[in-house]
Amino acid sequence: MLKIILPVILLLISNIFMTFAWYGHLKFKSSALIAVILISWGIAFFEYCFQVPANRIGYEVYNAYQLKTIQEVITLSVFVVFSALYLKEGLKWNYLIGFIFIILAVFFIFKKW
């Protein structure tokens, strides 16, 4: 059971770091680009500290396609919360429709045919 849930937890933590590394600097438009690049690299280090073991452990239970699908769903989920709370951006109806299609992709990836 732990091998099923641990990769998901590690990917969640990884994606929180990743989202801040990729988008956190958007609130600091006046900061020098080189500074935000270096800070983002520093944050990305911690992302990889969780992402690599997540995939290593997860590959014992999931195949690579399933791991990538899990990661994408987590990424979008984290990003929706990040975008709303940190960037103060709204969630529009067309974004929700797009997310529904991604959920359909999850169904097709994990369905045993």
Side-chain angles (χ1 to χ4, degrees), residues 28 33 42 49 62 89 96:
F28 304 98
L33 184 57
C49 288
Y62 305 105
E89 293 187 7
L96 291 173

Side-chain angles (χ1 to χ4, degrees), residues 29-88:
K29 295 177 184 175
S30 63
S31 298
L33 184 57
I34 189 68
V36 295
I37 288 171
L38 293 174
I39 291 168
S40 291
W41 277 356
I43 296 169
F45 168 79
F46 294 102
E47 176 220 341
Y48 276 81
C49 288
F50 289 96
Q51 181 267 336
V52 171
N55 286 328
R56 176 73 59 102
I57 295 165
Y59 197 60
E60 295 177 21
V61 178
Y62 305 105
N63 65 41
Y65 291 103
Q66 291 171 326
L67 278 170
K68 183 60 180 172
T69 303
I70 292 166
Q71 186 268 325
E72 290 299 332
V73 169
I74 291 171
T75 296
L76 284 172
S77 301
V78 168
F79 186 78
V80 166
V81 173
F82 174 86
S83 183
L85 298 179
Y86 186 78
L87 296 177
K88 308 291 188 216

